[in-house]
Amino acid sequence: MEPHHANKPRPKLSATKHSKFISCKLYISESRNATAVDAVERASKSDPQVVVVSQFGDHHYNRFRYTLVSYIVVVDGGGSSAAGEATVVHSPIRKVLLAMIEAAFSSIDLESQSGAHPRIGVVDDLSFHPVGQATIEDAASLARQVASDIACIAAVPVFLYAAAHPAGKSVGAVRRELGYYRPNYRGNQWSGSVLPNVLPVKPDVGPAHVVSHKRGATTVGVTPWIENYNVPVLCKDVATVRRITRGVTGRSGGLPTVQALALFHGDDCTEIACLLDPDHASAYQVQTVVEQIAGDQGLEVEQGYYTDITKDEALDKYLKIACADD
């Protein structure tokens, strides 16, 4: 938690006075329980200088994503910290994230949750993205602070990835080691706790074993802005659509940097859920490749859709809302 100095109250800082901003995409493993969703949403409104600029829930996936934006205040380490890295001295987003995370842990039980999207915890993932003049190093400093906060307040294992990880380990590598992509229910879904008591790899922060199967574990990472784009394929055979997905993902020789999963999405549909780095691949390219491969197999593909807004839209929306409260 951030230190509190009773004799030195922190002054309110205006969004209009800053050029460095941070976005965090917080993924919660619940979208069907209205009480839990409401609790997390209430917590997100605890500071007017932090804005949920976008949110998206999916009933089949039983998953909810909140995209938050706020400012950060940074001072250079000047060599006093490890490798002289930047140190985030304050961001209102840190306290709001912790409030949302505590609300999620208080209202969601992973052991009774199921859905068509993989997950390892109630608070499944936090991905941080620098906005404005903020740097990857700024975002990594804040992400590591939040990871330590989560481990402290909830006693859950936290795995770092990308720029938050000392060696830049990818989120895919972390998840493969944890068995994240292996469904344990009905062949194409996930139910209850999926992690063993003794974890196959040591977390970067927090206990080396699962303290609570009701909470699970969490991943925290830092990357450039990522866009979320889903393509519905009218086919109920997930294995067939998974083969199409291999033609899209960068790891399999498809489009560079694209990460994609084939996920059950109703009785007659399987979605290809993609994460895109817009500087390296576009939704148009993904849509075209999927349609070409699926067409060769006689499968119909619907027009894909974004589940989030762009980086520029996120910052514009934040400034409009936050500055109105200044």
Side-chain angles (χ1 to χ4, degrees):
M1 300 291 286
E2 290 182 289
H4 174 69
H5 301 284
N7 297 324
K8 294 180 67 178
R10 193 193 310 277
K12 179 180 177 181
L13 300 176
S14 167
T16 59
K17 298 178 181 178
H18 298 282
S19 60
K20 289 192 172 190
F21 302 90
I22 191 76
S23 176
C24 178
K25 298 188 179 188
L26 170 64
Y27 295 85
I28 302 294
S29 300
E30 183 60 67
S31 66
R32 302 171 187 168
N33 182 337
T35 300
V37 172
D38 289 346
V40 176
E41 184 172 347
R42 284 195 302 272
S44 75
K45 299 175 180 178
S46 54
D47 189 325
Q49 293 296 307
V50 181
V51 177
V52 176
V53 296
S54 172
Q55 60 187 46
F56 178 79
D58 188 284
H59 180 80
H60 292 292
Y61 297 157
N62 201 8
R63 185 177 178 86
F64 215 105
R65 188 217 70 248
Y66 301 87
T67 300
L68 297 88
V69 176
S70 190
Y71 62 82
I72 56 176
V73 179
V74 178
V75 294
D76 291 334
S80 60
S81 60
E85 69 176 14
T87 300
V88 177
V89 292
H90 176 61
S91 177
I93 203 171
R94 182 178 176 186
K95 186 175 181 180
V96 172
L97 282 171
L98 292 182
M100 296 174 73
I101 288 166
E102 288 182 307
F105 282 137
S106 297
S107 56
I108 302 168
D109 181 350
L110 192 66
E111 291 188 298
S112 62
Q113 193 265 9
S114 63
H117 197 290
R119 75 289 185 278
I120 57 169
V122 166
V123 179
D124 192 53
D125 181 54
L126 292 89
S127 61
F128 288 83
H129 313 280
V131 180
Q133 295 181 22
T135 65
I136 284 286
E137 291 76 18
D138 298 335
S141 179
L142 178 59
R144 287 190 284 266
Q145 291 178 58
V146 173
S148 296
D149 291 339
I150 296 170
C152 180
I153 67 169
V156 299
V158 181
F159 297 86
L160 303 177
Y161 65 86
H165 187 274
K169 192 174 187 179
S170 72
V171 65
V174 172
R175 287 172 168 174
R176 283 189 293 275
E177 289 178 342
L178 295 172
Y180 183 88
Y181 301 110
R182 293 195 294 268
N184 67 346
Y185 180 59
R186 294 184 177 178
N188 57 18
Q189 298 185 53
W190 286 259
S191 180
S193 176
V194 297
L195 294 174
N197 290 326
V198 179
L199 295 167
V201 288
K202 182 181 178 181
D204 298 283
V205 190
H209 62 286
V210 177
V211 175
S212 170
H213 286 286
K214 293 183 177 181
R215 295 183 173 187
T218 300
T219 54
V220 176
V222 175
T223 69
W225 188 266
I226 296 295
E227 294 184 349
N228 306 66
Y229 186 75
N230 295 352
V231 185
V233 180
L234 300 185
C235 174
K236 60 184 178 182
D237 185 355
V238 175
T240 296
V241 180
R242 190 176 293 122
R243 289 192 288 272
I244 299 173
T245 302
R246 295 192 187 107
V248 177
T249 57
R251 184 169 181 265
S252 300
L255 298 171
T257 74
V258 173
Q259 302 172 58
L261 291 174
L263 301 173
F264 169 82
H265 204 254
D267 293 337
D268 299 313
C269 178
T270 300
E271 278 196 341
I272 298 180
C274 303
L275 297 179
L276 316 174
D277 179 343
D279 291 334
H280 294 90
S282 68
Y284 174 79
Q285 289 175 295
V286 169
Q287 185 78 32
T288 300
V289 171
V290 171
E291 289 179 355
Q292 289 174 344
I293 300 175
D296 291 341
Q297 300 183 36
L299 297 175
E300 183 179 350
V301 177
E302 293 185 343
Q303 180 61 45
Y305 60 97
Y306 289 100
T307 66
D308 204 353
I309 57 181
T310 69
K311 179 170 68 172
D312 289 344
E313 289 170 338
L315 182 56
D316 287 347
K317 186 172 181 179
Y318 170 73
L319 291 173
K320 181 179 179 179
I321 296 173
C323 292
D325 292 323
D326 284 352

